[in-house]
Every structure is written in C-alpha cells, then in structure tokens.
Amino acid sequence: MDRFSRQTGISLVSMMIAMAIGLFLLAVLFDIWYSTQATFGNERDLTKLQNRERLALTIMADTVHSAGYYPNYLNYNIPPPNPTYSPDSFTASGAFALDQYLLGTHGTSDTLSVRFAADNGTSTLDCLGQQEVTGTVVVNTFSVNNGDLQCSVNGATVQTIVSGVNNLSVLYGVDPQQTGSPVQYVTANKVQNWLLVRSVDIELTFDNPLSGPGQAATITPINRIVALMQKAS
C-alpha cells in the first residue's frame, strides 16, 4: 500500500463545465418565463382593448339610436303635459334648427351631437349614464380629445368615456328621396338636410396597446351602423 493514498474528487475543469451547463439551463428557463409573462401581458392588454371598444360602441350606438325620441305615450295622460311632446319639442337652439335632433362636424376627428327628450325610465340615459328629468331635451356631444373619447351633456364640461381612442369618424346615411332607407353615406359637411338622415355609421380608431417595432401605432378601425329610432320604420 502506498504511503500516501491518492485522493479523488471533482476537478476544477469539471466543476466549471457543470456550472456552465447550469447557467445555460437557468438562462433557458428565464427566457421561457419572460416570454410567458410577456404573452400574458399582451393578452391582458388586448382584452382591455376589446372591453374599451365594446363600451365605446355600445354607449354611442344607444345614444344615436335614441336621436329624435320623445315620450309620445305621455301625451295620453290625464291631464296631458302642457305643451305635449312632439317633434317641435326640439326647439331651435345653438346650431340646432327647429325639429333637428342630429348634428355633426367633419374634420381631422369628427364630432357628433344627438338630441332626445328624456323618458321617465332608463331607456334614454344620456351618454354619461345619467337619467334626466322626463321631457327634458338632452344634448349629447361626442368628440375625441387627447386620446380620449369624451362626451358633454347639455354643454357641460366634457367627461372621458373611454381612453386610448385615436380618432372618431362619422358618416350619415341620407335619404334625399324620402324612401325610408338611406341611399348613400356622407360626411357631416355634405349633409344637406339633417331631417333626412336615416342612420349613422360610427367608426372608432383605437391606439394599439402592442405598438412598437413591427407593430402599427393604431389598430384597424371598428364601426357600427345605427338606425335612428324615429326613422327605423
């Protein structure tokens, strides 16, 4: 037996190789974790975007659909209201002419104003979700400012409905021959008679939450065509 026995163990080279393999595996795991987190983050942002799109179109569509509405059934109350509710309830006011309940402007981003007479239920909530006094003529004005879809009620301070909106574009379905259906869609500056508008095409462009290298700043516009309640028959 040798006087000094030989000691065995892991050499420095073997240890360095093991450490290198371990670091490589950690890097792979970290990359997988990071990619998964990024995917979850993107899906969360896209879900929020879809919710904002749905909310914006729903509010605008419900408001536009009520354009020109007045609670005619209340005229049969005993005693009836004085004055009774009729198209003449929409008096000339500001840029609105007598009987006019729809108005818009066309520009880089359009605006849209809608008038209706409030009912005593929740069927004619204003664009901010508020219930107005029965019979009151309510003016809802939509616009896009600083990346927000905003609305003003009766000329009050504008309030944000949905954020992340890049542009609002509105087309009006006009019926110049009074056939009951729109024959063409035009911008606000080409509407010759607002009382002949039968429907409204609302188009919203939202910011892209995934914008960056290889991604556009905005997404494909979404739109909805809304028939006016008073002109839907």
Side-chain angles (χ1 to χ4, degrees):
M1 181 174 181
D2 294 340
R3 183 178 177 181
F4 299 101
S5 61
R6 184 180 298 274
Q7 296 182 354
T8 61
I10 300 175
S11 67
L12 180 60
V13 173
S14 298
M15 183 179 296
M16 293 181 66
I17 292 174
M19 290 178 63
I21 294 173
L23 289 174
F24 173 77
L25 293 176
L26 284 175
V28 171
L29 290 175
F30 177 80
D31 184 65
I32 295 174
W33 173 84
Y34 183 81
S35 297
T36 302
Q37 290 296 106
T39 299
F40 286 154
N42 291 342
E43 291 179 351
R44 181 178 61 250
D45 291 341
L46 290 175
T47 298
K48 290 180 178 179
L49 170 63
Q50 292 172 350
N51 290 337
R52 293 199 305 271
E53 290 176 332
R54 188 179 302 110
L55 177 62
L57 278 182
T58 298
I59 292 175
M60 294 194 70
D62 287 349
T63 304
V64 170
H65 184 60
S66 299
Y69 172 81
Y70 57 91
N72 182 59
Y73 69 95
L74 294 179
N75 293 334
Y76 299 95
N77 285 352
I78 300 176
N82 185 21
T84 56
Y85 301 118
S86 71
D88 289 344
S89 298
F90 303 102
T91 59
S93 176
F96 282 96
L98 176 65
D99 296 345
Q100 184 180 349
Y101 42 80
L102 199 64
L103 182 67
T105 64
H106 176 60
T108 303
S109 187
D110 296 343
T111 67
L112 173 62
S113 295
V114 178
R115 294 203 296 181
F116 58 75
D119 205 339
N120 58 4
T122 59
S123 59
T124 55
L125 298 178
D126 64 30
C127 60
L128 300 178
Q130 305 168 140
Q131 185 173 344
E132 304 289 341
V133 177
T134 301
T136 302
V137 174
V138 184
V139 182
N140 308 264
T141 301
F142 294 95
S143 61
V144 170
N145 299 289
N146 300 318
D148 295 327
L149 175 63
Q150 300 179 329
C151 189
S152 170
V153 177
N154 295 331
T157 303
V158 296
Q159 297 190 40
T160 296
I161 301 174
V162 175
S163 59
V165 182
N166 181 271
N167 189 63
L168 166 64
S169 178
V170 184
L171 295 176
Y172 302 89
V174 294
D175 177 22
Q177 305 302 322
Q178 302 188 47
T179 63
S181 300
V183 296
Q184 62 176 330
Y185 282 85
V186 297
T187 52
N189 59 312
K190 295 182 180 179
V191 175
Q192 297 181 359
N193 186 343
W194 287 97
L195 297 181
L196 297 180
V197 174
R198 299 292 184 257
S199 59
V200 178
D201 184 357
I202 306 166
E203 181 180 275
L204 291 168
T205 303
F206 280 77
D207 294 328
N208 184 358
L210 308 182
S211 63
Q215 291 283 349
T218 59
I219 65 169
T220 302
I222 58 173
N223 78 299
R224 182 178 298 180
I225 298 177
V226 184
L228 304 187
M229 182 183 297
Q230 292 297 87
K231 302 295 182 181
S233 59

